Amino acid sequence: MTETTTFTPAGDPEGTDRPAADVLPFPLKKKTSSDPAVLGGGVVKPGEWEAELPDTDDPEAEGLSEGAPVDPPREVYPPSVAEWMEAKDKARLPVLPDWVKLPDQRAAVRKWAVRHYSAVVGYHAVRLPLVYTPKICIYAPRGAWRWSAAAGRWVFDAEGRALRLASVANEDAAEYLKLSRQRNDRVRLRGIMAAIAGVVGLAAALTLYVMAPSWLLMLAAAALTTTLGIAGAPADRPLIDLAKVTFRKRRLSSDIVIRAHEASGLTTKDQTVSFPRPIGRDGDGWRVVVDLPYGKTFEDAMKAHARLASGMDIAPTQLFLDKDETSGRRVSYWIADRDPLAVPSGKSPLLGATRVDFWKPFPWGVDERGNPVMATMLWLSLLVGAVPRQGKTFSARTIALAAALDPYVRLYVFDGKASPDWRKFALVAHRIGFGIVPKNGVDPVGHLLTALRELKADVEDRYHRLSELPLHVCPEGKLTPEISRDRKLNMPLTLFVVDEVQEYLTHPEHGKEILSLMVYLARVAPAVGVSVMTSTQKPDDKACPSELRDQHQARFALRVGAYQVSDVILGAGSYSEGLDASKLLKSHKGVGLLKGMSDDAGIVRTYLADGRDAERILTRAAALREAEGMLSGDAVGEVPAPETSATILDDVAAVLGKGETKVWSETVVDRLADLRPDVYGPWAALEAKPKAEALSSALKPFGIGTMQISRRIDGEQVNKRGIKRDDITTAITQRNKKRDAG
């Protein structure tokens, strides 16, 4: 006897924690076994179930033999009640729109209504005596003539004249006599009605003239004149002006949608599109959900985007497509009444922010519907590309401004074109440089190289230290908000910004080293809290090689000249996904396609913060950082560690006294300045703490850290940071071994 059963593993009696699987086309039977674990109903083991084969006489069992191996069955786990309810909830439309339910949106709608209708009333109130009244007086005689002519045609049955003439032309006497009698009856009845109406109207006018007060008489005359003026106004020049621009908007019907899909080749000979929900208004546009014919997909609709827009008789920038999770052939369209990408997104909310938590998403712009788009730079690198004058720098700068408002974020800012756009970041940036031409004794390219090497050493050190932190401080070996804000650990979130990166990468002397260091940072630095953001107007392989572009997890492409350039910025294959920044218009400033920052790619209209706005934000950020003691580096005039990588170990070893095992860092710096004033002199001019930090930064690439060293001076115990001789000796030994091996 065959025993058919359902297999549910032990420990999961309901099967609710497992994904659904396919059902076998035939039942299962228990293997014949003497194993007591099987016969006694114990825990079932893998391989103890086999498929029950149908009879070989069954035509559907062709190809199966008694000894043929059968794949082990896959378990079937039905969805839980909670999963079923969640799926149903997603398909349910809201009873009330969000602006009705949410207090802040209700307030916004109320403010808009007050502004809008007060402006409309004021607009027409100004034009009533100056424009509308003269128009009414001019158009009123024409309106009286039109009204009397229309009344005369009605009384004398002018609409039937064509039929009577046709019967005469056809020499159909019977039809003509019938139509003539009908006309006579109509004219007789309508004439009587017109006469009665004329007498009643004349009597009412005389009564009003004799008995009514003057104000009522004037009101009646104004109403009659206005009515005649409206009737006499030309069709192309209406009596009442429009208080706002009316954009091209038409009612969208199912016939228009079907026509668009037929013109786009998205229908088949036997199938057309269907509508799972009615077409309706959705904000400043229409929401249409369609089911494509079987075999057609969302990707097919994306490829036919331009043809769909043409079939609906709208601009391509008014049509937006969204994928539906429930079906591969279901597509949701939003058809805007006008081009939403040409509408500015407005000022950046950062203007009203006192501070920003860079660990959390911050406002960067809005999408095509006006919904906020939140950005984050955690654990990723971002590439921004566009042709000039499309808002590339402003878009990238908004992210840097958000970072500036978090006092615990360290900023590195370098601008290859030396424009005014980034100058005010000198108030807060740890390292900053402009252009590629040395000026006032400062070589910006050399400064960039120093900053890159400094960051590379910091990243390597972070990986090492994070792996050694105790579990109660760093549970998963990853950077946390608490670790990044601990000044003793010195591992803050860091944003490294390079605008017009091609200027540095094509530098004849240092371009290759800069490229190598930036590739390293873009690839491995985000994992320890050092994010890289680069922007360029030349994303080709010569100016910005693919080995650097490919390290950026997130891409943002504003308008570009061709779809090939868009693919270079957004990544290979983006064009086939329907992402093409070359379709953006010149009027779409600050608008771009974002890919990689979240699961979905989309359009972002970035907020605007112009030069004055940026200065206000950065002034506030500088005050915030100064109040919390977080200004550092170039912002406070701290000189970076000089290029002493080849001699720093030997120099430190040379200044350590015989028998000294531990020495304060500031003492070492003073001795180094005496040894080589031209190199270490700037360090000695610093205060005690920055002096020690300069030495620590220079020794960090060699794995040498500092420690607290206690000394008794004048009877008091004094603690300062310092170094150990053994660390210097070990580092020199390792360096020499590497040198000999090389």
Side-chain angles (χ1 to χ4, degrees):
M1 177 178 178
T2 301
E3 179 183 356
T4 304
T5 184
T6 302
F7 175 42
T8 302
D12 191 12
E14 300 298 331
T16 56
D17 296 329
R18 302 294 186 96
D22 297 335
V23 181
L24 289 172
F26 32 80
L28 303 177
K29 69 177 182 180
K30 208 169 188 178
K31 282 185 177 179
T32 303
S33 175
S34 59
D35 189 346
V38 176
L39 298 179
V43 177
V44 181
K45 300 178 181 179
E48 292 179 347
W49 295 89
E50 64 181 3
E52 178 186 4
L53 299 179
D55 295 335
T56 55
D57 295 337
D58 189 348
E60 295 182 358
E62 183 179 357
L64 294 176
S65 62
E66 185 175 356
V70 180
D71 292 337
R74 288 176 288 178
E75 303 88 12
V76 179
Y77 298 95
S80 65
V81 175
E83 292 172 338
W84 179 84
M85 292 177 64
E86 182 180 358
K88 294 297 182 183
D89 288 341
K90 289 182 179 180
R92 188 181 301 116
L93 297 176
V95 177
L96 296 174
D98 289 341
W99 71 267
V100 175
K101 296 183 291 184
L102 302 178
D104 55 340
Q105 294 200 20
R106 283 202 305 270
V109 171
R110 183 170 61 251
K111 291 179 180 178
W112 173 87
V114 171
R115 291 198 308 269
H116 174 75
Y117 290 108
S118 61
V120 170
V121 171
Y123 182 90
H124 292 304
V126 171
R127 284 159 179 76
L128 179 61
L130 303 176
V131 180
Y132 299 156
T133 300
K135 281 186 177 181
I136 289 173
C137 296
I138 294 173
Y139 296 152
R142 182 189 296 178
W145 170 255
R146 287 179 176 177
W147 183 85
S148 60
R153 286 194 299 272
W154 177 76
V155 170
F156 294 102
D157 193 23
E159 66 270 19
R161 184 170 182 271
L163 294 176
R164 293 191 294 273
L165 292 177
S167 62
V168 172
N170 295 332
E171 298 181 354
D172 189 346
E175 183 68 19
Y176 176 75
L177 292 174
K178 180 181 177 181
L179 293 173
S180 297
R181 285 193 296 269
Q182 185 184 51
R183 175 189 178 277
N184 294 337
D185 294 340
R186 284 183 175 180
V187 170
R188 186 181 303 109
L189 177 60
R190 293 177 180 179
I192 294 172
M193 294 173 61
I196 294 174
V199 172
V200 171
L202 182 60
L206 291 174
T207 303
L208 183 65
Y209 179 75
V210 173
M211 302 181 61
S214 57
W215 66 267
L216 184 59
L217 185 62
M218 293 176 61
L219 182 62
L224 178 61
T225 305
T226 302
T227 303
L228 295 177
I230 294 174
D236 60 335
R237 288 183 294 173
L239 179 65
I240 306 299
D241 296 335
L242 295 176
K244 65 184 185 68
V245 177
T246 301
F247 297 94
R248 188 168 183 241
K249 181 173 67 175
R250 63 180 63 180
R251 181 172 183 80
L252 196 68
S253 65
S254 58
D255 292 337
I256 295 176
V257 176
I258 293 173
R259 178 192 68 193
H261 284 80
E262 290 176 347
S264 304
L266 293 175
T267 58
T268 63
K269 183 178 180 181
D270 301 325
Q271 286 185 308
T272 186
V273 297
S274 57
F275 298 86
R277 55 177 283 187
I279 298 174
R281 293 290 295 174
D282 185 2
D284 295 331
W286 298 88
R287 175 63 66 182
V288 183
V289 180
V290 302
D291 285 336
L292 300 174
Y294 293 101
K296 299 292 185 180
T297 64
F298 172 80
E299 287 71 22
D300 295 327
M302 286 294 298
K303 293 177 182 178
H305 178 272
R307 295 192 297 274
L308 282 169
S310 176
M312 297 179 189
D313 195 17
I314 57 175
T317 51
Q318 292 177 250
L319 176 62
F320 301 90
L321 286 69
D322 298 313
K323 182 181 290 187
D324 194 282
E325 298 178 356
T326 61
S327 174
R329 68 187 185 98
R330 179 166 292 181
V331 184
S332 177
Y333 301 105
W334 187 68
I335 298 96
D337 295 333
R338 57 170 174 162
D339 182 3
L341 306 184
V343 180
S345 57
K347 292 284 188 179
S348 172
L350 297 176
L351 284 167
T354 55
R355 66 188 299 156
V356 169
D357 185 353
F358 211 59
W359 279 91
K360 299 177 181 178
F362 52 88
W364 192 28
V366 297
D367 62 11
E368 68 276 5
R369 298 288 315 281
N371 300 316
V373 174
M374 309 299 285
T376 179
M377 287 297 296
L378 292 179
W379 326 126
L380 57 82
S381 300
L382 174 65
L383 173 65
V384 182
V387 297
R389 312 301 300 173
Q390 285 301 127
K392 167 177 55 63
T393 297
F394 280 25
S395 300
R397 190 173 65 180
T398 303
I399 293 178
L401 289 173
L405 284 173
D406 186 339
Y408 292 94
V409 175
R410 184 174 292 167
L411 271 169
Y412 288 72
V413 177
F414 289 88
D415 177 17
K417 63 181 180 181
S419 68
D421 299 329
W422 298 93
R423 294 284 176 175
K424 288 299 178 179
F425 276 85
L427 296 172
V428 296
H430 181 73
R431 297 284 180 254
I432 192 167
F434 305 100
I436 61 175
V437 179
K439 189 175 181 180
N440 298 328
V442 177
D443 180 8
V445 178
H447 194 44
L448 172 62
L449 269 176
T450 302
L452 286 169
R453 293 165 182 163
E454 181 181 71
L455 269 178
K456 183 176 185 291
D458 183 38
V459 169
E460 293 171 342
D461 183 60
R462 289 188 185 203
Y463 274 106
H464 178 73
R465 289 195 290 149
L466 284 172
S467 64
E468 294 183 345
L469 287 175
L471 291 178
H472 70 277
V473 176
C474 187
E476 299 180 1
K478 298 179 180 178
L479 192 69
T480 64
E482 293 75 21
I483 295 175
S484 71
R485 292 165 184 159
D486 190 334
R487 300 185 189 182
K488 295 181 180 179
L489 295 176
N490 192 27
M491 287 189 284
L493 285 180
T494 301
L495 180 62
F496 182 73
V497 182
V498 185
D499 193 13
E500 302 298 351
V501 66
Q502 74 279 352
E503 300 298 324
Y504 296 112
L505 298 179
T506 56
H507 191 272
E509 182 180 356
H510 302 295
K512 290 184 178 180
E513 184 179 0
I514 292 174
L515 174 62
S516 175
L517 290 168
M518 291 195 64
V519 168
Y520 173 84
L521 292 177
R523 184 176 69 249
V524 304
V528 289
V530 179
S531 299
V532 178
M533 180 171 63
T534 58
S535 63
T536 179
Q537 57 181 277
K538 293 182 179 181
D540 56 85
D541 287 334
K542 183 178 179 181
C544 186
S546 59
E547 59 182 302
L548 175 60
R549 295 197 310 268
D550 294 343
Q551 305 306 324
H552 293 80
Q553 299 89 344
R555 315 286 188 92
F556 186 59
L558 296 92
R559 189 177 77 90
V560 295
Y563 77 89
Q564 294 92 339
V565 182
S566 176
D567 238 24
V568 167
I569 298 173
L570 295 175
S574 298
Y575 179 75
S576 61
E577 299 174 8
L579 302 176
D580 183 8
S582 66
K583 293 181 179 179
L584 296 172
L585 305 179
K586 194 173 182 179
S587 58
H588 299 159
K589 293 185 181 297
V591 179
L593 303 180
L594 179 63
K595 182 179 180 182
M597 190 171 284
S598 61
D599 294 336
D600 299 324
I603 292 176
V604 181
R605 293 185 286 152
T606 55
Y607 289 122
L608 174 65
D610 58 22
R612 292 183 179 180
D613 296 337
E615 183 176 359
R616 288 173 53 192
I617 294 172
L618 291 170
T619 302
R620 189 186 317 134
L624 178 63
R625 289 170 178 255
E626 185 176 8
E628 301 198 15
M630 297 305 296
L631 284 175
S632 63
D634 293 349
V636 292
E638 292 179 358
V639 180
E643 294 298 317
T644 60
S645 57
T647 61
I648 183 67
L649 294 176
D650 297 328
D651 291 343
V652 172
V655 299
L656 293 179
K658 186 176 181 180
E660 287 184 322
T661 58
K662 300 177 183 179
V663 185
W664 284 340
S665 296
E666 58 183 80
T667 302
V668 174
V669 171
D670 291 337
R671 294 176 183 177
L672 288 172
D674 293 336
L675 177 66
R676 296 175 61 187
D678 56 330
V679 176
Y680 303 105
W683 289 7
L686 299 174
E687 298 293 334
K689 185 177 179 181
K691 185 186 300 185
E693 290 177 350
L695 179 63
S696 176
S697 299
L699 295 176
K700 185 182 292 185
F702 303 98
I704 299 175
T706 59
M707 58 181 297
Q708 287 287 349
I709 300 176
S710 179
R711 294 279 188 273
R712 182 173 294 277
I713 300 177
D714 297 333
E716 295 183 2
Q717 204 72 18
V718 179
N719 292 318
K720 294 183 181 182
R721 305 296 295 183
I723 60 174
K724 296 169 59 177
R725 176 190 288 272
D726 291 345
D727 293 339
I728 299 296
T729 304
T730 302
I732 292 175
T733 303
Q734 292 177 350
R735 182 200 63 185
N736 293 339
K737 286 182 179 180
K738 292 180 181 179
R739 184 182 301 169
D740 296 339

